[in-house]
Amino acid sequence: MQLKVPPPQPTADETMQLRVPEDGIPAKSGISSISGNSDDSPDEAEISEASGTASSDSSGTLSRRRRKAPRPSPAARLVAVLGPRLAPVLGPVAAHLAPHLRRLRPHYPRPGRTGWQRWIPSWRQTLGGFLASLGLSTLFLAVAYAATDIPDDLNTYATQQDNVYFWADGTPMARTGWVQRQAMPLEEVPEDVRWAVLAAENESFYSDPGISVKGITRALLRTLGSGDTQGGSTITQQYVKNVYLNQDQTLSRKFTEAMIALKLDNRMSKDEILESYLNTSWFGRGTYGIQRAAQAYYGKDVSELDASEAAFLASLLKGAGLYDPTLSAANKERAVERWSWTLDRMVAIGKLSPQERARYRTFPAPLKSNPLYDTGEQSDYLVELVAQYTKKNAHLSDKDFDLGGYQIYTTFEKDREAKLTEAVTKARTQAKADHPKAAKAAHYGAASIAPDGRILAVYGGPDHRKQGYNESNATTVPAGSAFLPFVYAAGLEHGVRKTRDGEPTPISGETLYNGDDEVPVTTPEGPYWDRSGRKVAARNDGGRSYGQISLHQALALSVNTPFMQLGMDTGLENVRATAEAAGLLSSSIGAQVPTLSTGSSTPSAIRMASGYATFVADGVHVEPYSVRRVTHNGHKIALDKPPTRRAMDTGTAREVQSALTDAFRAAHPDAAPADAETAGKVGTTENDTAAWYVGSAEKVTTAVVVYRIDLNKSLEPLPLQGLDGTGTDSVPYGIWSRAMSPLG
């Protein structure tokens, strides 16, 4: 039996099969010839393509697609055009340099060498690599320098300054602003202070280009070794970091800092850079700039520093937290060492003589705390008044004022302010003990003013941070009988009319008026009727009647009824004009009805003190002011002078002051020496919503008011409920006498 194995079947090409249609390939297919074996079975096909590739279209036929030759690149076209022209020039140069370039070209391993020497480059290769690196580095730095711009805007904290307020004696009172800084011109910084800083930080400042290559290299090595880039900065670089960049310790920031420092050194003078640096550097204790540092550590201006103190302040630039000796014993040790080293460096660079250095053997210990304290409690009320006055009279916008840099010298006397605050605080404490319920809504306003308009002290409230409402400047409660002196002054100035068309008749302190209680008020036409159809009558405290009484005596005894009639006889328009001329604001003057004369107006304590001060000043009124002088970074700012006017005749003012002197002596005969220039008057209201005392001693006038308002409900005055004391023991008078003591 024979096993027959069938022949193998032909397999299809796995990649491509060329199938010829049964009808043959059309002539237009682009195939020039097909040759095969004798039985016409296609065994091998040769397809000639003239200018394309054969592909099958949708009908199964083959077609040609012409492909364009690629277009030469612009570089190739440029070479084709310029090559023939430059060949005569570049050819000899290339022929000359070719041998040298071949020598510089590295061949590794080097031929003709054995062992490890095969891998060591030749001196030519080393020199070529160095020159290439130098060229590339120079090119990189040149591009980086050109591409780096000095920022247009400084960091916010680099331009922000604080405003500092001073007492009348020149000592610091308070400051406002989130940063303690005051820019000072370089000419006001002593030479010893400048060179102490330069000796400690950058003695080559005036000769370097703004950067230190040695320092930058050291910072780079530290970064590569431990990631610390501190150190090595010039003063110019430190200034750039302070005002343009951030404090990040990174190579990118360090590089940008160097580029800006180079440009800045070409744009600004060395003195300008040093001045800016001294005004923006951090010195600890919340201070920026050498001026605030001098005040924070030594309580003096920078112009008053000596070389020893300057050397210590210069040490703080290394890190105030490490060199402020008040923080720890270790800090003190470091500070003393750095202070001594800085003085020695000043000698070494010729900026301090050995003889001067010998004088500084004792470390100049700084103050234990910063005297430039923040505002708070009572001083906030003072700052609020002063800031408003400064912006108005120096013509400063809120934006300009808030940028800071202003030194504001106030009229407030520190000792007088302390006594007034202590007196009111004692009264508040007593009220809480005696009348705890009523005391919850109690308010006490007070102000002291000199005859020339200076506000010497105010009491605005218990704590501005808890109650921003200024009690000394509030116009919410009536003046009551404290208003009577202005009615008396108006009568003395303008005279009285008993008939509608008659001429004014002069009056004096001896002129008699009816002092009985509930005397009807009359006009030339008869009784004065109110809108409800009732006759208007004045009332005296306690319902007491005095009969015919002189105006001088009526004021001395605080008899109300004569002055309501006097106001009508003088003319309420004249009463109003006299009160305004004396210092009361027109917005606080009451309506022109008979009660105007008995105190329906609502002046503040400041304005009442100002009005009474006009009597002390012989009738000349100066608008109250709280600022004597303003400077901005040491330069004087123009400040409008307070308006001054003659409010009344000298004789009128002296008569009113004489009656007020008798009023004080009648109520408090033993409170002051007989020859003391002391005067004052109590003020009460008909509905018991306010109690006043306004008086003068030693030419200073103080007004005190006590009232009740529940600020959580409304601004409507409430009855005092005993907070004003008694007639013989008045709370407002008690505050006044303690604040003004000694009386004469």
Side-chain angles (χ1 to χ4, degrees):
M1 182 175 179
Q2 186 177 3
L3 179 62
K4 295 183 178 181
V5 180
Q9 299 295 324
T11 60
D13 190 318
E14 294 180 357
T15 59
M16 184 184 72
Q17 289 184 352
L18 179 63
R19 296 182 183 273
V20 180
E22 294 179 358
D23 297 338
I25 300 176
K28 65 179 180 180
S29 65
I31 302 177
S32 59
S33 63
I34 301 178
S35 60
N37 54 19
S38 57
D39 58 3
D40 297 332
S41 299
D43 180 49
E44 179 179 344
E46 294 181 358
I47 303 175
S48 300
E49 302 179 0
S51 61
T53 58
S55 62
S56 176
D57 60 14
S58 60
S59 62
T61 62
L62 296 178
S63 65
R64 282 188 188 172
R65 295 180 181 170
R66 296 182 60 85
R67 182 169 58 191
K68 295 181 181 180
R71 181 180 178 85
S73 65
R77 294 199 302 272
L78 183 63
V79 171
V81 174
L82 298 179
R85 300 180 182 180
L86 297 178
V89 179
L90 297 179
V93 177
H96 177 74
L97 294 178
H100 299 284
L101 293 175
R102 282 194 296 271
R103 292 178 184 178
L104 292 175
R105 186 181 64 184
H107 296 280
Y108 288 96
R110 290 177 62 193
R113 298 290 189 273
T114 60
W116 60 270
Q117 294 181 344
R118 300 171 61 202
W119 304 98
I120 302 300
S122 67
W123 69 269
R124 294 185 182 87
Q125 293 168 341
T126 302
L127 178 60
F130 172 76
L131 293 176
S133 299
L134 181 61
L136 290 174
S137 299
T138 303
L139 178 62
F140 171 74
L141 291 176
V143 172
Y145 180 85
T148 302
D149 293 325
I150 299 176
D152 293 330
D153 298 325
L154 303 181
N155 292 332
T156 302
Y157 64 82
T159 56
Q160 182 77 27
Q161 301 183 61
D162 56 359
N163 292 324
V164 180
Y165 303 80
F166 299 90
W167 293 104
D169 62 2
T171 57
M173 180 181 79
R175 73 174 185 88
T176 58
W178 63 272
V179 60
Q180 291 189 46
R181 178 191 285 112
Q182 178 193 341
M184 291 295 290
L186 189 63
E187 58 265 22
E188 296 190 24
V189 180
E191 287 281 345
D192 284 345
V193 177
R194 302 184 211 175
W195 280 105
V197 172
L198 293 176
E201 293 294 305
N202 185 191
E203 64 186 52
S204 63
F205 169 73
Y206 279 100
S207 60
D208 65 40
I211 64 171
S212 169
V213 176
K214 179 180 177 181
I216 293 176
T217 303
R218 182 167 63 249
L220 176 61
L221 294 176
R222 288 183 178 181
T223 300
L224 296 176
S226 62
D228 181 9
T229 62
Q230 293 181 356
S233 294
T234 64
I235 278 180
T236 307
Q237 289 175 262
Q238 292 181 50
Y239 170 65
V240 168
K241 179 179 65 175
N242 289 343
V243 303
Y244 293 118
L245 305 175
N246 52 45
Q247 305 298 314
D248 294 342
Q249 300 296 334
T250 62
L251 278 178
S252 62
R253 200 272 300 155
K254 199 77 175 176
F255 181 78
T256 304
E257 170 192 302
M259 292 298 102
I260 296 178
L262 283 171
K263 279 200 168 183
L264 204 66
D265 194 73
N266 291 326
R267 178 178 297 183
M268 298 173 64
S269 69
K270 288 291 188 180
D271 282 349
E272 289 175 328
I273 294 174
L274 180 58
E275 177 183 306
S276 300
Y277 172 75
L278 291 175
N279 285 327
T280 56
S281 295
W282 167 253
F283 284 88
R285 293 193 178 184
T287 62
Y288 287 88
I290 191 69
Q291 168 71 352
R292 282 290 174 266
Q295 294 171 338
Y297 288 92
Y298 290 109
K300 61 178 68 173
D301 288 342
V302 64
S303 60
E304 301 171 0
L305 293 176
D306 59 29
S308 178
E309 295 165 334
F312 163 70
L313 294 181
S315 69
L316 297 171
L317 294 168
K318 274 292 186 185
L322 296 174
Y323 291 92
D324 185 344
T326 63
L327 299 180
S328 67
N331 272 23
K332 183 176 182 179
E333 183 178 349
R334 281 190 291 265
V336 172
E337 181 181 357
R338 182 75 176 176
W339 161 79
S340 180
W341 176 86
T342 300
L343 289 173
D344 292 341
R345 289 303 305 158
M346 293 179 69
V347 174
I349 63 178
K351 298 302 177 181
L352 190 69
S353 68
Q355 293 77 17
E356 289 176 308
R357 172 67 179 92
R359 299 201 330 249
Y360 302 127
R361 295 300 179 189
T362 303
F363 177 69
L367 301 174
K368 293 184 178 181
S369 61
N370 186 352
L372 297 175
Y373 48 82
D374 288 326
T375 59
E377 297 184 353
Q378 193 59 217
S379 59
D380 271 351
Y381 297 104
L382 310 184
V383 167
E384 180 182 56
L385 289 173
V386 168
Q388 293 173 355
Y389 185 90
T390 301
K391 286 186 283 188
K392 177 181 178 182
N393 292 276
H395 305 285
L396 300 173
S397 66
D398 289 341
K399 179 181 178 182
D400 289 340
F401 189 77
D402 290 343
L403 285 175
Y406 294 95
Q407 300 80 51
I408 304 161
Y409 298 86
T410 75
T411 60
F412 298 120
E413 296 182 356
K414 189 175 183 179
D415 293 342
R416 195 177 292 276
E417 178 68 31
K419 291 177 66 175
L420 181 60
T421 301
E422 181 182 1
V424 178
T425 301
K426 183 176 180 180
R428 279 186 179 276
T429 302
Q430 190 65 43
K432 290 179 181 179
D434 297 341
H435 308 279
K437 185 176 180 180
K440 292 180 180 179
H443 297 274
Y444 301 76
S448 297
I449 294 182
D452 59 3
R454 289 176 293 127
I455 304 177
L456 305 179
V458 299
Y459 181 87
D463 189 337
H464 190 277
R465 291 168 295 188
K466 297 178 181 178
Q467 177 193 289
Y469 174 74
N470 190 332
E471 296 169 349
S472 71
N473 205 28
T475 56
T476 53
V477 294
S481 56
F483 189 81
L484 300 184
F486 303 110
V487 183
Y488 187 29
L492 293 172
E493 279 288 289
H494 299 282
V496 297
R497 282 188 175 93
K498 293 298 185 179
T499 63
R500 179 65 63 186
D501 300 323
E503 291 295 323
T505 301
I507 64 169
S508 68
E510 301 305 316
T511 302
L512 298 177
Y513 266 76
N514 190 339
D516 288 341
D517 187 45
E518 295 190 4
V519 174
V521 175
T522 63
T523 68
E525 288 77 20
Y528 185 95
W529 303 81
D530 62 16
R531 292 184 178 181
S532 62
R534 292 178 298 182
K535 292 182 181 180
V536 174
R539 292 179 176 81
N540 293 325
D541 289 343
R544 184 177 175 183
S545 293
Y546 295 84
Q548 293 294 310
I549 187 172
S550 71
L551 291 174
H552 183 104
Q553 189 70 6
L555 184 61
L557 298 178
S558 194
V559 182
N560 296 335
T561 52
F563 292 99
M564 182 176 280
Q565 185 60 55
L566 176 63
M568 297 299 295
D569 295 344
T570 301
L572 296 178
E573 69 280 1
N574 290 328
V575 172
R576 178 187 183 97
T578 301
E580 291 181 10
L584 272 61
L585 296 178
S586 60
S587 58
S588 69
I589 303 297
Q592 286 187 196
V593 294
T595 54
L596 172 65
S597 298
T598 51
S600 62
S601 299
T602 58
S604 66
I606 290 177
R607 286 292 167 172
M608 279 294 277
S610 177
Y612 274 57
T614 301
F615 304 133
V616 179
D618 287 342
V620 176
H621 174 72
V622 182
E623 278 292 289
Y625 65 98
S626 57
V627 179
R628 297 180 294 111
R629 180 166 59 97
V630 178
T631 60
H632 185 260
N633 296 333
H635 300 287
K636 188 175 181 180
I637 299 296
L639 194 68
D640 291 344
K641 293 183 178 180
T644 302
R645 60 179 176 267
R646 174 157 290 282
M648 61 192 70
D649 184 74
T650 301
T652 298
R654 289 181 177 177
E655 168 55 29
V656 175
Q657 186 68 9
S658 173
L660 291 173
T661 300
D662 290 343
F664 172 79
R665 298 198 181 283
H668 312 284
D670 301 324
D675 58 347
E677 296 182 4
T678 308
K681 185 183 185 312
V682 70
T684 58
T685 58
E686 184 177 358
N687 50 8
D688 193 34
T689 56
W692 290 82
Y693 195 88
V694 188
S696 59
E698 301 295 332
K699 300 293 186 179
V700 174
T701 303
T702 297
V704 180
V705 60
V706 179
Y707 58 99
R708 288 182 68 236
I709 291 179
D710 189 343
L711 295 175
N712 295 321
K713 296 180 179 179
S714 71
L715 292 178
E716 188 68 26
L718 303 173
L720 287 170
Q721 297 181 353
L723 291 179
D724 55 338
T726 63
T728 57
D729 188 17
S730 167
V731 169
Y733 172 77
I735 295 173
W736 180 89
S737 61
R738 284 191 291 271
M740 301 292 281
S741 65
L743 299 175

